[in-house]
Amino acid sequence: MGDVHTDLVLERRKTMTSSTLTPPEQIASSTLDVRIHHVPRTRTLPSAAELGFGRIFTDHMFAMEYEEGRGWFDARILPYGPIPIDPGASCLHYGQAMFDGCKAFRSKQGRIQLFRGRRHAARLADGAPRLGMVAPSAETIYQAMTALVHFEKDWVPSEPGTALYLRPTLVGTEGFLGVRPSKKYLFFIILSPVGAYYKDGLKPVRIWVEKDLIRAAKGGLGAVKAGANYAASLFAATEAQKRGYAQVLWLDALEHRYCEEVGVMNLFVQFKDEIVTAPLGGTILAGVTRDSVITLLRDWGYKVSERRYAFDEIVEARKNGTLGEVFGTGTAAVISPVGEFGHEGGVLKTSDDAIGPLTQRLYSSLTAIQYGEAEDPYGWVEEVTGVA
Ligand code: COI
């Protein structure tokens, strides 16, 4: 099916358009034209303290459409705002909706750097078929992300701990109630300048071990960033919060024994001289931060095992003194230390409310690369230069 190929040698050119929204402007490449409907900026960037996570959106968004037989078309940057949608759209009824999330950072020198944008774009493109969806190619997604970030570069905050969060999203839009994959899709990207995911910053969180509800079963959607996975998590998270816990530890769907994820993050547990995280067996999201942490740890000489491990192993290690640090990893929070697990058998303290040295080292090293303060031997950071 005709996808738009983008080797986005971006070039700005003036173009005549009758749109009432736009000062006439267009970003173009030989194969992807991004029309721009520009709104003048009227708001200022809030301070880091006011930002929070995902509450404020920039002035513009990116959108493009797909129709079976026509392919992807009408790539555009337009004012942020409500999108018209057919009430019969498959995303509203049958959950054909997925997203990704990544961050752009402003370095001290003013460079705008996207962290592992291509990997995020590929994850979205690769996940779509599992939901019966058609996605733009990873390259198109990546080019759209960088075009929008460059266009909105003034919205990338500069204070420590802040970033511009990108939310590329894919939804089925055909108005049809028969149960089959949609023949129409909308791909859009919105941007949100963000501060810390947790308002209290890097601080050990309390986690409830969920024994009944599950996040994902083998053969299901767990490896895909489907909106449905997040819907499936909300009830358990709310119940945990009522008990005073920030999130839940998800166990495997079959035996309710093996640790899978923590809230919306991947989980790492240090046992003596081994650091363990659940393997990517179909129920775990292939976190980009997870992969980055594994790479750093191995480079630092740690033994990292991607293997199944039961919650009982954590209990046992706590008893015999071999439990080390425990932390979650994700794009939003980066690293989140786990200070305590609450479970039916009582409370298991992992730390004395201090951030462990390894957790701190990972957070500092990863963010130093993201902000361009440390060397990036892995090629994770891509400078967004936009239009030459
Ligand atoms: C992440 O941190 O990687 C996430 O997916 C969190 C997001 C859903 C807010």
Side-chain angles (χ1 to χ4, degrees):
M1 207 44 58
D3 188 12
V4 180
H5 297 286
T6 60
D7 64 352
L8 204 65
V9 184
L10 293 176
E11 143 203 335
R12 271 177 201 265
R13 64 177 149 91
K14 300 285 176 195
T15 160
M16 299 303 290
T17 162
S18 58
S19 167
T20 51
L21 289 169
T22 46
E25 193 176 0
Q26 182 157 340
I27 298 176
S29 76
S30 53
T31 48
L32 174 67
D33 283 346
V34 182
R35 275 189 303 123
I36 296 177
H37 304 272
H38 183 262
V39 277
R41 185 161 167 192
T42 54
R43 295 171 297 155
T44 51
L45 191 58
S47 69
E50 292 168 294
L51 283 175
F53 184 86
R55 282 181 303 159
I56 296 159
F57 297 97
T58 69
D59 295 321
H60 297 89
M61 59 192 279
F62 174 93
M64 74 194 294
E65 328 274 336
Y66 172 90
E67 274 176 29
E68 193 175 280
R70 186 174 174 190
W72 287 98
F73 60 94
D74 200 11
R76 59 203 186 274
I77 289 174
L78 68 163
Y80 179 93
I83 43 177
I85 192 149
D86 191 308
S90 70
C91 65
L92 301 177
H93 299 270
Y94 305 129
Q96 278 199 297
M98 62 179 299
F99 65 93
D100 215 284
C102 62
K103 282 177 172 169
F105 301 85
R106 187 183 291 278
S107 77
K108 279 211 182 82
Q109 296 71 30
R111 284 193 308 271
I112 310 292
Q113 329 206 111
L114 199 55
F115 186 71
R116 307 195 75 178
R118 287 186 189 279
R119 197 174 171 106
H120 284 281
R123 187 169 67 180
L124 185 60
D126 294 348
R130 178 62 186 84
L131 295 174
M133 298 172 78
V134 180
S137 70
E139 184 59 19
T140 297
I141 294 171
Y142 178 74
Q143 297 297 347
M145 289 184 341
T146 53
L148 183 64
V149 168
H150 185 261
F151 190 77
E152 294 281 71
K153 57 184 178 307
D154 293 346
W155 279 98
V156 185
S158 55
E159 289 174 72
T162 64
L164 185 67
Y165 183 78
L166 289 74
R167 176 53 68 86
T169 307
L170 181 68
V171 291
T173 51
E174 185 189 4
F176 174 67
L177 297 182
V179 182
R180 59 141 173 79
S182 175
K183 294 182 178 180
K184 291 183 179 177
Y185 293 91
L186 169 69
F187 169 66
F188 66 86
I189 308 171
I190 52 177
L191 304 176
S192 174
V194 297
Y197 187 70
Y198 295 111
K199 62 180 183 325
D200 301 330
L202 193 63
K203 208 180 124 199
V205 291
R206 303 174 71 214
I207 297 296
W208 177 255
V209 182
E210 177 55 60
K211 277 279 189 181
D212 297 318
L213 303 171
I214 57 147
R215 175 186 172 274
K218 226 174 168 74
L221 300 179
V224 180
K225 218 159 166 67
N229 288 333
Y230 295 80
S233 78
L234 295 176
F235 177 69
T238 308
E239 291 300 301
Q241 279 151 21
K242 284 185 198 159
R243 293 183 157 114
Y245 290 88
Q247 259 297 353
V248 298
L249 170 66
W250 295 110
L251 300 175
D252 74 285
L254 215 55
E255 297 178 58
H256 301 260
R257 287 180 58 208
Y258 296 98
C259 301
E260 299 234 311
E261 293 193 6
V262 62
V264 294
M265 292 191 274
N266 298 117
L267 180 68
F268 287 75
V269 180
Q270 185 179 29
F271 296 110
K272 221 173 161 189
D273 56 0
E274 180 193 26
I275 298 166
V276 174
T277 193
L280 302 177
T283 59
I284 306 288
L285 188 77
V288 177
T289 313
R290 173 188 183 277
D291 181 78
S292 310
V293 160
I294 291 174
T295 303
L296 286 177
L297 287 172
R298 287 189 175 144
D299 266 14
W300 296 343
Y302 287 93
K303 178 184 172 199
V304 183
S305 307
E306 296 175 68
R307 66 163 174 88
R308 298 186 90 193
Y309 60 104
F311 182 69
D312 287 346
E313 215 179 310
I314 301 180
V315 175
E316 199 44 47
R318 184 71 181 111
K319 273 192 205 142
N320 65 28
T322 54
L323 181 65
E325 296 178 39
V326 183
F327 54 88
T329 64
T331 296
V334 189
I335 307 285
S336 186
V338 175
E340 178 184 319
F341 287 111
H343 58 111
E344 282 153 4
V347 165
L348 185 154
K349 291 279 265 178
T350 64
S351 69
D352 50 5
D353 281 341
I355 297 156
L358 183 62
T359 307
Q360 184 64 60
R361 184 179 179 200
L362 281 167
Y363 180 81
S364 305
S365 304
L366 213 43
T367 52
I369 293 175
Q370 291 174 331
Y371 287 98
E373 287 157 10
E375 253 196 79
D376 171 24
Y378 313 105
W380 288 340
V381 159
E382 302 124 8
E383 188 176 353
V384 177
T385 50
V387 183

